[in-house]
């Protein structure tokens, strides 16, 4: 067997990499949308006036945050079918990824909400807005723009976590590389190819995040 | 004033930790009355306004607004803690202007003024905008409808805040040191706007201020606060010209603001 690193092998692995990339991007984007929505829901529920809501939600969020994503992936992969939910491994993976990261985005939302000055809540009360209207028209429109950059950065983190979906049979780039390796008995080239694709995509995402940051960075307050 | 008692405090007590701010306080204000609250810093004036605005809860006692209790509901002879819906209903009659304006920075000037009329009072957009423009015109900001609050000076922001408060047609207007954060000349402009409002409406006003000339001009009655309670209560002429209480005399000597 030839021990020299073969760049041609890297190139040969690329078509499989691009298939894997599509899977990774799907998992990232679906997961990200879930993380954005669920994270906001967590942040709002943890601020609920009722302890019967805020405490259990707080417990669940802390629990999910402090257990590994891999455990959650296995959990949903094996438990969802048992309760009669049959979805593709990719959907299960995207959901678990989104749920896991929702616990991080909820903290980001929380810091944004805490950053709104108390005087805004007081003015809302002086004008007798409903709770709902206070949130939707006054608090969130001030809280969210200032955390958009922090939220944007989680896309990259989630993308870099997609290889963990391999554990539940979702074949993204690293999975594709390993599959090629087990056929050809050469791992370095396909794995290097996967690494290259991760690097390029992460750089593109970082660049996009920078643009988002510049657009939302300065909030008029 | 001849009206009925409109606002009543009965046995109101408030402490922050060990710091007793209001001790068994009772007083009342009639409909249409304009009352100025004076007294040294820390004597509880802001706390009174905040309790009326439901921003601070009293520890004990009841606060009435036009026959309803703010924090309680009558159920037969019993007084029960009020539901959120009840509090909102009573609070609808009251609004407040703050020392630091607290305009909504995410809304342009006109929307700051129309948001509550549309979404709280249920007025139509057209009606609210017409009235909003009128009010902004009245406070001298008819040319700033589409400005962002951050583009306005402090005095202009406070005048928007006054227009925003009037837009909800309050029965009771609470003013907490609304000119304390402003330069003297700018403060004088804002006080002129408030003088006009006092002259042209019969809104009940509770006003905390150090602007003594303003207080003398607009108020029917002055309350002097000290150490958890009211130590003197009378007409501005009486209280400013011949204060009875030694603490009032000392306080008035210490206040040099003549706006
Ligand atoms: N949220 C609070 N927590 C603790 N102490 C407070 C709070 N609000 C007011 N106080 C205290 O209550 C007292 C009265 O305050 P305040 O009503 O603001 O007085 P004033 O407006 O007459 O200057 C002060 O001693 C102040 O420190
Ligand atoms: Mg005060």
């Amino acid at each position: 067997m030839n021990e020299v690193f073969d760049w041609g092998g890297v190139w040969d692995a690329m078509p499989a990499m691009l298939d894997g990339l599509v899977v990774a991007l799907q998992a990232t984007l679906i997961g990200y949308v879930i993380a954005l929505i669920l994270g906001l829901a967590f942040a709002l529920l943890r601020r609920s006036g009722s302890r019967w809501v805020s405490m259990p939600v707080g417990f669940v969020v802390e629990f999910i945050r402090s257990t590994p994503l891999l455990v959650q992936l296995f959990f949903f992969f094996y438990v969802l079918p048992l309760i009669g939910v049959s979805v593709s491994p990719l959907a299960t993976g995207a959901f678990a990824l989104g749920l896991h990261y929702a616990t991080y985005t909820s903290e980001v939302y929380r810091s944004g909400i805490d950053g709104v000055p108390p005087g805004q809540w007081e003015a809302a009360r002086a004008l007798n807005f409903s709770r709902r209207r206070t949130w939707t028209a006054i608090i969130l429109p001030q809280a969210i723009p200032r955390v958009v950059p922090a939220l944007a950065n989680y896309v990259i983190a989630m993308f870099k976590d997609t290889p963990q979906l391999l554990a539940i049979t979702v074949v993204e780039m690293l999975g594709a590389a390993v599959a090629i390796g087990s056929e050809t008995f050469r791992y370095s080239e396909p794995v290097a190819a996967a690494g290259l694709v991760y690097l390029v995509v992460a750089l593109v995402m970082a660049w996009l995040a920078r643009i988002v940051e510049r657009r939302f960075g300065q909030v008029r307050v | 004033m001849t009206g009925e008692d409109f606002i009543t405090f009965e046995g109101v007590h408030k402490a922050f930790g060990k710091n007793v701010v209001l001790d068994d306080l009772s007083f009342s204000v009639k409909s249409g009355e304009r009352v100025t609250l004076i007294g040294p810093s820390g004597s509880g004036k802001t706390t009174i306004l905040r309790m009326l605005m439901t921003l601070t809860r009293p520890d004990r006692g009841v606060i009435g607004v036009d026959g309803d209790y703010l924090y309680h509901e009558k159920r037969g002879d019993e007084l029960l803690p009020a539901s959120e819906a009840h509090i909102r209903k009573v609070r609808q009659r009251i609004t407040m202007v703050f020392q630091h304006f607290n305009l909504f920075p995410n809304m342009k000037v006109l929307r700051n003024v129309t948001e509550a009329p549309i979404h709280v009072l249920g007025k139509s957009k057209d009606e609210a905008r017409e009235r909003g423009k009128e009010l902004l015109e009245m406070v001298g900001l008819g040319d700033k409808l589409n400005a962002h609050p951050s583009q306005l000076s402090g005095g202009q922001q406070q005048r928007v805040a006054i227009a925003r408060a009037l837009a909800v047609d309050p029965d009771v207007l609470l003013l907490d040191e609304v000119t304390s954060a402003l330069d003297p000349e700018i403060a004088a402009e804002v006080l002129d706007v408030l003088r006009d409002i006092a002259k042209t409406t019969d809104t009940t006003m509770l006003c905390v201020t150090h602007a003594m000339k303003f207080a003398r001009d607009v108020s029917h009655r002055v309350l002097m606060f000290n150490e958890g309670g009211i130590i003197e209560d009378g007409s501005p002429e009486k209280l400013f010209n011949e204060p009875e209480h030694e603490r009032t005399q000392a306080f008035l000597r210490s206040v040099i603001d003549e706006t």
Side-chain angles (χ1 to χ4, degrees):
Chain A
M1 224 167 76
N2 189 356
E3 291 301 317
V4 178
F5 189 83
D6 172 17
W7 281 99
V10 174
W11 186 246
D12 291 342
M14 277 305 165
M17 289 305 108
L18 294 183
D19 290 344
L21 177 61
V22 170
V23 172
L25 287 178
Q26 279 175 333
T28 305
L29 289 183
I30 297 167
Y32 189 56
V33 169
I34 292 172
L36 287 184
I37 295 169
L38 214 50
L40 181 58
F42 284 156
L44 296 180
L45 290 172
R46 286 188 86 169
R47 284 190 150 256
S48 159
S50 160
R51 269 185 199 195
W52 297 103
V53 177
S54 62
M55 297 245 300
V57 172
F59 176 80
V60 168
V61 169
E62 294 302 329
F63 180 79
I64 295 171
R65 201 207 331 267
S66 50
T67 49
L69 173 59
L70 198 52
V71 174
Q72 288 152 27
L73 284 168
F74 276 126
F75 178 80
F76 288 113
F77 187 63
Y78 289 111
V79 166
L80 286 184
L82 290 183
I83 59 168
V85 181
S86 69
V87 288
S88 71
L90 176 60
T92 306
F95 172 73
L97 192 64
L99 177 68
H100 188 78
Y101 273 90
T103 65
Y104 296 106
T105 57
S106 78
E107 282 304 297
V108 173
Y109 284 118
R110 172 147 74 163
S111 75
I113 292 164
D114 288 347
V116 177
Q120 293 293 307
W121 292 95
E122 295 179 353
R125 186 164 284 194
L127 295 164
N128 211 17
F129 285 106
S130 65
R131 280 173 75 86
R132 187 193 185 87
R133 193 74 202 166
T134 300
W135 278 109
T136 57
I138 296 159
I139 304 303
L140 291 180
Q142 294 179 57
I144 291 178
R146 64 182 97 196
V147 298
V148 163
L151 291 174
N153 281 319
Y154 276 109
V155 186
I156 302 166
M158 291 177 74
F159 178 71
K160 287 195 291 189
D161 260 351
T162 52
Q164 297 197 47
L165 270 61
L166 187 52
I168 58 167
T169 75
V170 176
V171 177
E172 43 64 74
M173 287 165 290
L174 188 67
V178 171
I180 294 172
S182 59
E183 277 173 25
T184 62
F185 301 106
R186 293 193 61 117
Y187 284 90
S188 11
E189 287 83 2
V191 170
L196 269 179
V197 176
Y198 278 118
L199 179 68
V200 170
V201 174
L203 284 177
V204 170
M205 284 179 170
W207 174 69
L208 289 174
R210 196 86 43 79
I211 290 176
V212 169
E213 197 162 340
R214 213 166 297 153
R215 170 75 179 71
F216 284 90
Q218 318 93 346
V219 183
R220 204 198 289 273
V221 172
Chain B
M1 293 304 296
T2 51
E4 298 274 300
D5 282 350
F6 198 73
I7 295 169
T8 54
F9 277 60
E10 296 167 50
V12 171
H13 185 93
K14 181 70 195 177
F16 294 100
K18 285 213 165 69
N19 176 13
V20 177
V21 178
L22 298 172
D23 190 9
D24 200 21
L25 175 75
S26 299
F27 73 99
S28 59
V29 173
K30 294 187 188 307
S31 176
E33 202 172 20
R34 293 189 291 274
V35 179
T36 299
L37 286 61
I38 63 170
S41 174
S43 58
K45 307 179 296 292
T46 293
T47 302
I48 287 176
L49 299 195
R50 288 178 62 87
M51 287 194 301
L52 265 170
M53 199 66 261
T54 66
L55 298 170
T56 300
R57 235 174 206 283
D59 301 331
R60 288 201 298 276
V62 292
I63 298 174
V65 178
D66 194 20
D68 282 318
Y69 289 115
L70 189 47
Y71 294 97
H72 302 87
E73 276 174 89
K74 272 178 277 198
R75 188 83 40 83
D77 284 344
E78 267 188 306
L79 275 189
L80 302 174
S83 66
E84 184 62 29
H86 175 89
I87 292 177
R88 265 198 93 198
K89 191 189 102 206
V90 182
R91 184 167 61 206
Q92 186 55 59
R93 325 190 63 169
I94 308 173
T95 193
M96 180 161 177
V97 180
F98 301 87
Q99 183 174 355
H100 296 289
F101 333 134
N102 299 347
L103 293 185
F104 304 127
N106 56 312
M107 302 176 191
K108 289 178 176 175
V109 164
L110 181 58
R111 192 172 154 218
N112 260 279
V113 178
T114 59
E115 186 73 4
I118 294 170
H119 293 281
V120 179
L121 304 183
K123 287 193 184 179
S124 77
K125 275 196 175 139
D126 288 343
E127 191 189 353
R129 290 174 70 88
E130 272 319 298
R131 176 87 175 119
K133 284 179 195 168
E134 238 174 70
L135 287 166
L136 285 165
E137 200 78 52
M138 187 188 83
V139 299
L141 294 171
D143 56 340
K144 300 285 185 196
L145 305 180
N146 289 311
H148 283 280
S150 60
Q151 295 167 322
L152 302 184
S153 69
Q156 291 172 326
Q157 289 191 43
Q158 193 61 298
R159 284 184 276 152
V160 175
I162 291 167
R164 180 176 72 171
L166 295 178
V168 295
D169 302 323
D171 293 327
V172 181
L173 182 61
L174 308 175
L175 304 162
D176 190 12
E177 301 205 30
V178 297
T179 57
S180 295
L182 304 172
D183 293 337
E185 315 91 82
I186 307 294
E189 288 172 23
V190 172
L191 291 174
D192 282 341
V193 167
L194 290 172
R195 274 194 184 87
D196 284 348
I197 293 166
K199 249 180 271 168
T200 54
T201 68
D202 53 3
T203 309
T204 308
M205 291 191 196
L206 270 71
C207 173
V208 175
T209 185
H210 295 294
M212 292 302 159
K213 186 165 180 305
F214 170 77
R216 205 186 293 239
D217 292 348
V218 306
S219 37
H220 301 110
R221 199 170 139 212
V222 180
L223 304 179
M224 169 73 195
F225 282 80
N226 195 50
E227 286 173 4
I230 296 170
I231 58 168
E232 200 160 345
D233 174 350
S235 69
E237 295 76 30
K238 171 80 182 57
L239 222 118
F240 290 130
N241 297 340
E242 39 200 278
E244 266 166 30
H245 207 286
E246 191 189 316
R247 290 289 308 155
T248 314
Q249 295 161 7
F251 173 75
L252 289 173
R253 274 196 303 276
S254 74
V255 180
I256 46 167
D257 189 344
E258 268 303 323
T259 40

